[in-house]
């Protein structure tokens, strides 16, 4: 049985994993780079070991060093979190070889799902609907053109080794087929060392719906329903919710069964996510499987009432799942907003820096998974996500209202954040209607981003800008106690729903 877990990650997910370890009575080991000496995960762990310089290649991706630390600290298991080594089949295998439990699936599942062509073949065999297209890499350009004419334009050329949008080319016109194939191929060779590409019919304006699955090492697999992840920008998710406002109970059950079959087809172990694209008529197709715990896992935890990290650890201990599919129901509604240290009104430019003040929302139905504190400097070397705000409500409307309340309470100064942008998403009629797809942010960018054109609001804006300027001057002269100096500014922002640029 696992006694001590090394968490091969940083930031909020490292803290998240260690919280469950603490509840389960397990000892924890943090690893950290030069840039993370003062990171929360280092303080939270029972022990922390420095593993190298800031660049992840030399620290959080350094397999030899991480294994060495597991051995020197006597950790008997490694949790990889998400990103970094979490979907590295070689790392999973290496852990096994070294007699360390990898809290995640085996190399076979990671490899099969990591290669999109082998994933499509495996899903086809398992009866999981895949996007119409090819099941083999393109080896002859003329045959590819013929095939694309059969499928019908538009199509996507995708890298087999890709995922998350890399090595993808959309083709609308016959004349662009060859250049799309060639550029996807060269981008894939460059990025993944594998230039294999294949063809898929393009699903226009799709919804992104994913299913959480759990599978133990005794042949039991089940799903924990869906997450709707269509609010995204450039393949970066921004808001996730569950249940999906789009699904019917019938389609939900059908997709859930397919997700379980996908997991079984690769002899999956642990927590995984099966991604689908869906059109407005609820036609859905397998896209890929993520063989890790995902960023947005907490909304599932809240609505289904399961600690996914605890399940991962129990499964890694070869325990059987303690519940059946029919034991699981979706209770109420949960939404997650990702809070980034970036400026949404300046093309989401990362805004690293020192957190000057932070007040996190609390109260009924609110969870924050974060890792920063006052005085902490957000390193520029890693993903700029500061925290995740997760709320629960008895129904979707209550959850949206609660999210707006929580975003109102959230105060961070020192770095720019996406909080105000998220408030605009929550207030948007199309988001509130539940009838949005992956084109939402782009399509409604005029409503969601601040811009120079403030039309009728110009006068209000000038008044408030002057007020804020006056406040700023006051603060410089006499800094108030408790860092509460921004309160009035936030109220001014929050109550006047106008576009303002200072
Ligand atoms: C697609 C698609 C439409 N048709 N494939 C984007 C990331 C990668 N996981 C696959 N992606 C897509 N593949 C076909 N055949 C649309 C997307 C897509 C998308 C998918 C999920 C979530 C957000 C997205 C945003 C744009 C495009």
């Amino acid at each position: 049985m696992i006694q001590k877990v090394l968490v091969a990650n940083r930031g909020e997910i490292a803290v998240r994993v260690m919280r469950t370890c603490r509840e389960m009575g397990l000892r924890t080991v943090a690893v950290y780079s030069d840039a993370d000496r003062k990171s929360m995960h280092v303080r939270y762990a029972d022990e922390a070991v420095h593993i190298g310089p800031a660049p992840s290649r030399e620290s959080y991706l350094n397999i030899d060093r991480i294994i060495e630390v597991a051995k020197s600290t006597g950790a008997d298991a490694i949790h990889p979190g998400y990103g970094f080594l979490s979907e590295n089949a070689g790392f999973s295998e290496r852990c096994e070889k070294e007699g360390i439990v990898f809290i995640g699936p085996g190399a076979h599942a990671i490899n099969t799902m990591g290669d999109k062509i082998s994933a499509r073949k495996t899903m086809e065999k398992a009866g999981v609907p895949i996007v119409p297209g090819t099941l083999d890499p393109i080896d002859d350009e003329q045959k590819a053109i013929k095939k694309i004419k059969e499928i019908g334009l538009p199509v996507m050329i995708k890298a087999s080794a890709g995922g998350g949008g890399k090595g993808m080319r959309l083709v609308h016109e016959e004349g662009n087929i060859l250049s799309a194939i060639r550029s996807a191929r060269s981008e894939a060779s460059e990025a993944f060392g594998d230039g294999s590409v294949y063809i898929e019919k393009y699903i226009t304006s799709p919804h992104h719906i994913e299913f959480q699955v759990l599978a133990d090492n005794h042949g039991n697999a089940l799903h924990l329903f869906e997450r709707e992840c269509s609010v995204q920008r450039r393949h970066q998710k921004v808001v996730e919710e569950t249940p999906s406002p789009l699904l019917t109970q019938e389609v939900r059950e059908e997709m859930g069964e397919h997700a379980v079959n996908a997991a079984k087809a690769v002899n999956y172990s642990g927590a995984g996510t099966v991604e689908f694209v869906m059109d407005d008529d609820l036609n859905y197709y397998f896209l890929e499987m993520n063989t890790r715990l995902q960023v947005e896992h907490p909304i599932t935890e809240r609505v289904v009432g399961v600690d996914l990290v605890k399940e991962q650890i129990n499964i890694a201990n070869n325990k059987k799942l303690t519940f059946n599919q029919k034991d699981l129901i979706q209770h109420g509604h949960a939404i997650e907003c990702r809070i980034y240290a970036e400026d949404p009104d300046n093309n989401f430019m990362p805004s690293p820096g020192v957190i000057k003040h932070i007040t996190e929302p609390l109260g009924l139905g609110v969870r924050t998974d974060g890792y920063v504190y006052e005085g902490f400097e957000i390193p520029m070397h890693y993903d700029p996500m500061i925290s995740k705000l997760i709320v629960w409500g008895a129904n979707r409307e209550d959850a949206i209202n609660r999210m707006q309340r929580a975003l109102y309470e959230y105060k961070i100064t020192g770095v720019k954040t996406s909080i105000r942008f998220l408030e605009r998403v929550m207030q948007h009629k199309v988001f509130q209607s539940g009838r949005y797809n992956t084109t939402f942010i782009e399509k409604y960018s005029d409503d969601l981003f601040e811009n120079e054109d403030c039309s009728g609001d110009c006068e209000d804006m000038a008044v408030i800008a002057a007020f804020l300027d006056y406040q700023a001057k006051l603060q410089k002269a006499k800094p108030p106690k408790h860092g509460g100096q921004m309160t009035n500014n936030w109220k001014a922002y929050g109550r006047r729903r106008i576009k303002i640029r200072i």
Side-chain angles (χ1 to χ4, degrees):
M1 289 298 238
I2 297 167
Q3 308 282 342
K4 195 175 198 179
V5 178
L6 183 151
V7 181
N9 213 301
R10 63 175 302 281
E12 71 85 17
I13 194 60
V15 175
R16 157 74 193 92
V17 169
M18 290 192 287
R19 282 181 161 142
T20 287
C21 290
R22 191 161 293 277
E23 290 177 17
M24 294 176 79
L26 306 176
R27 309 279 297 166
T28 53
V29 180
V31 292
Y32 63 95
S33 71
D34 283 346
D36 274 328
R37 288 182 186 281
K38 296 182 177 175
S39 204
M40 186 74 99
H41 75 281
V42 174
R43 298 183 177 194
Y44 193 96
D46 295 315
E47 295 167 65
V49 182
H50 177 251
I51 50 169
S56 28
R57 196 155 297 287
E58 299 172 66
S59 48
Y60 299 106
L61 292 172
N62 185 342
I63 293 178
D64 287 335
R65 178 70 185 129
I66 289 167
I67 296 286
E68 183 180 290
V69 172
K71 294 199 157 168
S72 69
T73 56
D76 39 30
I78 296 182
H79 194 300
Y82 52 69
F84 296 125
L85 295 171
S86 61
E87 295 182 278
N88 184 318
F91 184 57
S92 171
E93 213 159 40
R94 176 75 185 276
C95 289
E96 197 177 338
K97 207 183 93 205
E98 303 279 355
I100 300 163
V101 177
F102 178 75
I103 303 175
H108 169 71
I110 299 176
N111 277 328
T112 307
M113 289 303 185
D115 182 276
K116 306 307 162 206
I117 291 174
S118 71
R120 278 167 64 77
K121 281 184 175 163
T122 310
M123 293 305 102
E124 163 104 334
K125 236 169 95 185
V128 179
I130 56 173
V131 188
T134 55
L135 282 174
D136 289 296
I138 297 174
D139 59 358
D140 178 320
E141 291 182 342
Q142 291 314 309
K143 276 195 222 157
I145 292 175
K146 201 168 149 238
K147 184 78 196 166
I148 289 171
K149 284 181 183 166
E150 277 169 40
I151 297 167
L153 288 165
V155 297
M156 283 193 115
I157 312 295
K158 293 188 176 185
S160 187
K166 268 170 275 163
M168 271 177 21
R169 290 290 182 282
L170 175 56
V171 186
H172 278 290
E173 287 163 45
E174 218 177 296
N176 299 337
I177 293 174
L178 289 183
S179 68
I181 292 173
R182 287 168 194 166
S183 68
R185 194 190 287 293
S186 77
E187 188 179 310
S189 307
E190 189 82 12
F192 316 114
D194 173 2
S196 311
V197 296
Y198 65 101
I199 303 161
E200 274 185 11
K201 180 161 185 60
Y202 182 60
I203 311 299
T204 309
S205 306
H207 300 259
H208 172 146
I209 294 179
E210 59 185 33
F211 273 73
Q212 177 69 54
V213 297
L214 283 174
D216 68 19
N217 301 332
H218 304 272
N220 306 303
L222 44 75
H223 70 85
L224 295 89
F225 307 100
E226 80 280 10
R227 293 184 288 259
E228 167 68 71
C229 304
S230 295
V231 182
Q232 60 82 43
R233 186 190 155 271
R234 300 199 186 152
H235 308 303
Q236 175 99 271
K237 291 167 190 160
V238 175
V239 177
E240 305 94 353
E241 64 176 312
T242 186
S244 164
L246 189 70
L247 289 195
T248 61
Q249 196 54 27
E250 194 188 345
V251 173
R252 172 174 292 118
E253 279 169 25
E254 207 180 273
M255 290 177 85
E257 268 175 52
H258 285 309
V260 168
N261 290 338
K264 285 183 171 168
V266 292
N267 198 16
Y268 201 79
S269 168
T273 299
V274 182
E275 281 186 21
F276 297 91
V277 278
M278 180 181 264
D279 66 23
D280 288 333
D281 300 324
L282 306 198
N283 299 306
Y284 57 87
Y285 310 93
F286 170 87
L287 210 51
E288 44 195 76
M289 181 171 185
N290 301 315
T291 54
R292 59 168 191 271
L293 185 71
Q294 291 202 227
V295 175
E296 60 273 24
H297 76 277
I299 57 174
T300 297
E301 295 189 316
R302 189 61 187 81
V303 159
V304 184
V306 170
D307 177 340
L308 287 168
V309 174
K310 186 174 178 186
E311 296 307 320
Q312 286 186 299
I313 292 169
N314 283 337
I315 290 166
N317 268 325
N318 277 320
K319 289 195 178 159
K320 288 185 178 169
L321 286 166
T322 57
F323 43 84
N324 303 311
Q325 189 67 58
K326 62 174 171 30
D327 298 325
L328 300 178
I329 56 158
Q330 292 170 295
H331 178 60
H333 200 97
I335 307 175
E336 172 180 280
C337 283
R338 300 189 186 189
I339 316 291
Y340 284 95
E342 23 175 69
D343 182 0
D345 298 318
N346 189 11
N347 203 25
F348 290 87
M349 193 94 82
S351 174
V354 177
I355 302 287
K356 191 170 157 215
H357 172 82
I358 178 164
T359 301
E360 296 201 286
L362 290 168
L364 182 62
V366 176
R367 163 179 175 181
T368 60
D369 274 22
Y371 77 108
V372 307
Y373 52 86
E374 278 173 18
F376 178 74
E377 180 172 358
I378 297 168
M380 48 164 225
H381 299 87
Y382 316 107
D383 187 85
M385 194 171 75
I386 300 175
S387 84
K388 307 180 309 205
L389 172 56
I390 303 105
V391 303
W392 178 86
N395 54 52
R396 187 168 188 267
E397 192 187 341
D398 287 1
I400 293 172
N401 288 332
R402 182 163 286 156
M403 182 59 86
Q404 293 193 50
R405 183 271 286 178
L407 288 166
Y408 165 79
E409 288 180 12
Y410 218 140
K411 293 169 171 72
I412 298 174
T413 64
V415 299
K416 292 226 163 75
T417 77
S418 51
I419 293 173
R420 285 284 297 136
F421 170 74
L422 292 161
E423 287 188 304
R424 286 178 226 133
V425 172
M426 290 300 128
Q427 288 158 12
H428 201 276
K429 286 207 162 48
V430 173
F431 177 77
Q432 292 185 351
S433 78
R435 289 191 305 275
Y436 61 89
N437 59 40
T438 47
T439 65
F440 171 72
I441 290 181
E442 209 181 277
K443 192 165 169 190
Y444 298 103
S445 58
D446 282 357
D447 305 336
L448 297 172
F449 300 105
E450 313 242 321
N451 53 42
E452 247 70 308
D453 170 28
C454 62
S455 56
D457 291 322
C458 274
E459 209 166 326
D460 274 359
M461 190 183 85
V463 170
I464 290 180
F467 169 63
L468 292 174
D469 185 52
Y470 170 66
Q471 284 259 309
K473 280 181 185 135
L474 270 187
Q475 283 158 31
K476 267 190 198 147
K478 185 165 64 79
K481 301 166 269 183
H482 308 309
Q485 65 270 31
M486 289 310 283
T487 305
N488 288 336
N489 297 21
W490 284 96
K491 280 184 181 162
Y493 275 119
R495 287 178 185 162
R496 312 290 290 265
R497 308 264 186 237
I498 65 159
K499 292 180 174 179
I500 174 166
R501 174 177 286 259
I502 304 153

